[in-house]
Structure formats: structure tokens, C-alpha cells
Amino acid sequence: MNTFGHRFRFTTFGESHGKALGCIVDGVPAGLKIDEEFIQSEMDRRKPGSNEFATARKEGDKVEILSGVFEGLSTGTPISMIIFNENQKSSDYSNIKDIFRPGHADFTYFHKYGLRDYRGGGRSSARETAARVAAGAVAKLLLKELNIKVQSGICEINGIEANSFDFENALNSPIFALDKSVEEKQKSAILEAKNSHNSVGGVALINVKNAPIGLGEPLYFKLDSQIANAMMSINAVKAAVKAVEIGDGILASKVLGYDNNDQIRKAGFKTNHSGGILGGISNGDDINVKVYFKATPSIFIEQDSIDIYGNEVTAKLKGRHDPCVAVRGSVVCESMMALVLADMVLLNMSSKMQNLKKVYAK
Ligand SMILES: Cc1cc2nc3c(=O)[nH]c(=O)nc-3n(C[C@H](O)[C@H](O)[C@H](O)COP(=O)(O)O)c2cc1C
């Protein structure tokens, strides 16, 4: 199942060491200005190999638009985009050809499909998320026209928490840190793990400004359930406690009703414990979502595993890996949020007769 969304939907294809990755974005209204430089700038934020906090795999991640755009505008037909892989080193994986990497998807993919693309994990690799970012950039262009802003940053690395959330700082930080005062500590935690051949987890915060009231399609396509679905579909987002927290998240189950409710005044809600969503529908307040990433599974410490024949072996990994996937993962979360909202914005247009009359009534 490689398609996401209803009205604004996208499908991705490709794997880590294949020739290319890409996506087809369907349902984009005709006449949207497709700013290719913006799409590329989004790709550049996620691309690997740009600093010591990311994997050393160097990819240009240049996006080529194959269809659906004419003279800079969307035509209303599927927009397809391709990203060629340039820096695969499949030999890095030859010594673990038959061995399952603990924590990775090797074991489950092998048992489900009965064969193994050992080259970087194949389709289970987060290399696929490059295509999501390309699709997400188109969603962001649509949302921009409606003045809806999606932004993200890192709020926690290895338990070191941000005390303030500055999205401008995140844009200029090599680890997308939201709080400058803890950024150096967070960077050191990543480098310490990397230097000891290990990895660390982290948490991304995604914030949406100016979401209109009414986004979300109860009951089975609620805004919060789709955000959770979108975020949980990203590699390494874990359900150990609750991987995706909307608003106060798990804290909501620990406090009393009076402390959890967002009281209402004419000017708006007095607080935002709900994270901008009530009954599965956006309430007009900021949408705030925290996404929890586990530590990168591929580490360079010897670990116990088994091979595809069931023999007990020692897994010794080589190759290039992110020491903390939350960093680049935060950009993927932002893209998935934009994709969910673009879908919801289009779906919501048919929620009332008065909307239909605006378009069709003579
Ligand atoms: C942006 C991003 C980069 C990632 N890079 C790596 C990596 O370099 N090495 C690795 O083992 N896992 C990496 N992962 C995580 C794995 O893809 C993921 O843990 C694996 O597919 C198993 O799936 P699960 O953790 O969701 O169960 C990355 C994840 C993301 C979101």
C-alpha cells in the first residue's frame, strides 16, 4: 500500500539502492504555481550527507518534474516527480546479506515477502521519504496560497529537552534545534553516540499556523487520526509510549478535566491543550504535534542476531547511517503534515451546501 490521501493523494515508488525514487501527486487543482526552486529547497533540507549529524551518504536529491505542470502552473493532471539515486554503495551490505539487522525491518520484510533486498533495506529504507518531501512541497505550495503555514523543529534529543520553540532557529540549525540554549548539548549527544558507534533518538515538534476551523472528516477520517497515521507511517516513529502526541498528548490522560479543557472567550481559546483539534476537526487554533523517533537501528556495535537460515550469528554492520534520524525525520513530518492538510482542505469544501452553491449556483 503505497498511496496516501483521498482527494489530494500521492503515491511513492523506489528503493534505497534502486535506480530512482519518485512520486505521483494526484488531485492538485489546476492553476497552482509550481515553484520548482521551492520544491528543491525542501529536498535540500532533508537530503543526506550535508553535515556530521547526518549519514555520510551523499545524494544531490535533484527533483525532476515529468508531468502535470505547464508553463509553471499545475494542469490538474497527475504531477510526477523523479529523484535519481547517485551514491549507492551496495557492497557495504554484502557481509550482512543474509543477516537481519536488529531494530531494522529486515526480519519482518523477509518473513512477509519471502525475499530480501539487503541493499540498504530496499523499500523499508527511509530513502523513500525523499519522495514524500517532494510531494509535501507541492502540498505546501497549495497551503501557502491559503496562508496556512507548516513548520517544524527538534524539541528533544536523547532526553535533552527544548525549553522554548524558535522555528527560525530551527531553520538555521544543522540539527533543526528549536532552542538555541540547549542546541550545543543536543549536538554533543548526537556526536557522542556517533563516536561510540551508537545512535540516539529524538522528538520533532510540528506546528501549523492559520489552519481554518473545520478541517477533518469524522468519523473515520478525523484530522487527528490522519495526522497520527501520516506520522506513524514514517520510518522509526515509534509507539513505545505514544509516538505521536497531539497537543498535550499523554498528559491529557493524567490531569483533571478542568486543567485539560481549553476554555473559550470571544477572542478564542484561552489555552491549547487540545493541539488545535476537537472531535477530529481543526478548531482554528495552532495545530501542535510531537513526533517521537527511536534511535537509528543500524549501529556499529556488535549485536546478536540470526540469519535467514535461522542460525545464530553476530551482526557487524558497515556503511553510512544517520546517528539520529529525528533530525532529518522532522522535515519528513512537516511534509506529511502538509500533505494531510492539503487533502483536508479539499475534502472540507464539500461539507456544506452553501459551499457547493458558491461554486455551482447560477
Ligand atoms: C530520515 C530518516 C533517516 C533514516 N536513516 C536511517 C539510517 O541511516 N540507518 C538506519 O538503520 N535507519 C534509518 N532510519 C530508520 C529506519 O528506516 C527504520 O528504523 C526501519 O525502516 C525500521 O522501521 P521502524 O523503526 O519504523 O520499525 C531513518 C529514518 C528516517 C525517518
Side-chain angles (χ1 to χ4, degrees):
M1 305 272 189
N2 297 285
T3 299
F4 187 91
H6 282 232
R7 190 55 198 78
F8 186 108
R9 60 165 56 189
F10 72 100
T11 302
T12 70
F13 61 87
E15 46 287 313
S16 178
H17 288 222
K19 191 163 182 180
L21 303 139
C23 61
I24 297 171
V25 189
D26 202 0
V28 183
L32 175 68
K33 192 170 170 290
I34 302 296
D35 178 346
E36 290 191 40
E37 263 179 41
F38 173 73
I39 298 177
Q40 190 56 54
S41 69
E42 288 290 281
M43 298 300 296
D44 293 346
R45 291 174 61 213
R46 194 221 71 106
K47 85 175 174 197
S50 30
N51 61 46
E52 62 192 320
F53 303 102
T55 168
R57 176 169 171 170
K58 282 216 178 317
E59 291 286 350
D61 277 358
K62 291 277 169 260
V63 185
E64 210 178 308
I65 298 180
L66 301 180
S67 70
V69 180
F70 180 62
E71 294 183 335
L73 296 179
S74 60
T75 58
T77 60
I79 298 181
S80 51
M81 291 181 274
I82 194 155
I83 305 135
F84 287 97
N85 285 325
E86 295 165 349
N87 191 222
Q88 309 94 312
K89 276 197 191 164
S90 302
S91 58
D92 279 347
Y93 294 89
S94 46
N95 70 320
I96 54 149
K97 192 169 172 290
D98 297 332
I99 298 174
F100 303 122
R101 281 173 296 169
H104 214 290
D106 305 345
F107 180 87
T108 45
Y109 265 59
F110 178 74
H111 284 284
K112 183 173 175 69
Y113 297 108
L115 48 87
R116 173 155 158 73
D117 181 352
Y118 60 87
R119 307 160 311 157
R123 181 80 181 154
S124 77
S125 162
R127 182 88 192 103
E128 180 269 346
T129 59
R132 300 186 193 214
V133 173
V138 176
K140 273 189 157 189
L141 288 171
L142 183 141
L143 296 176
K144 246 190 219 173
E145 299 267 341
L146 308 176
N147 197 27
I148 302 172
K149 186 172 184 183
V150 184
Q151 50 191 355
S152 73
I154 289 294
C155 59
E156 188 176 331
I157 297 285
N158 201 26
I160 305 162
E161 285 184 46
N163 302 308
S164 58
F165 306 129
D166 176 352
F167 291 93
E168 284 303 311
N169 191 69
L171 279 179
N172 299 314
S173 153
I175 60 160
F176 305 128
L178 284 164
D179 181 355
K180 205 167 183 42
S181 71
V182 293
E183 182 172 344
E184 288 312 313
K185 272 193 194 161
Q186 291 176 331
K187 282 180 182 167
S188 304
I190 297 175
L191 293 181
E192 264 167 41
K194 180 178 169 178
N195 294 336
S196 51
H197 310 295
N198 218 330
S199 61
V200 278
V203 185
L205 174 68
I206 326 303
N207 168 262
V208 182
K209 295 244 176 286
N210 305 327
I213 301 175
L215 303 183
E217 301 297 319
L219 288 174
Y220 298 111
F221 206 61
K222 288 181 177 178
L223 182 55
D224 34 10
S225 73
Q226 288 319 297
I227 291 173
N229 184 4
M231 301 305 166
M232 288 289 291
S233 76
I234 301 171
N235 316 43
V237 175
K238 288 322 285 181
V241 187
K242 194 171 182 214
V244 178
E245 281 192 321
I246 297 182
D248 284 359
I250 45 174
L251 188 64
S253 65
K254 298 183 187 191
V255 299
L256 300 176
Y258 185 82
D259 300 316
N260 185 53
N261 292 344
D262 298 312
Q263 298 184 35
I264 316 172
R265 300 279 77 196
K266 270 191 198 159
F269 293 93
K270 284 167 79 177
T271 50
N272 189 8
H273 299 297
S274 74
I277 304 173
L278 289 169
I281 301 172
S282 58
N283 66 7
D285 218 332
D286 275 20
I287 297 173
N288 290 318
V289 177
K290 273 188 182 177
V291 184
Y292 292 76
F293 287 86
K294 71 180 188 183
T296 318
S298 299
I299 54 174
F300 305 105
I301 301 171
E302 290 188 1
Q303 297 168 91
D304 290 341
S305 186
I306 57 169
D307 64 19
I308 58 174
Y309 311 106
N311 303 309
E312 290 190 346
V313 295
T314 301
K316 293 181 211 160
L317 309 192
K318 292 194 282 189
R320 302 157 298 171
H321 295 279
D322 287 283
C324 178
V325 299
V327 174
R328 296 195 303 124
S330 65
V331 182
V332 183
C333 295
E334 204 180 302
S335 305
M336 290 306 289
M337 177 66 90
L339 286 156
V340 169
L341 293 177
D343 200 19
M344 293 298 182
V345 161
L346 296 182
L347 286 166
N348 186 43
M349 282 167 55
S350 58
S351 63
K352 294 184 190 126
M353 275 313 293
Q354 73 191 66
N355 293 359
L356 290 185
K357 282 184 181 167
K358 258 187 219 161
V359 178
Y360 293 110
K362 297 223 163 101

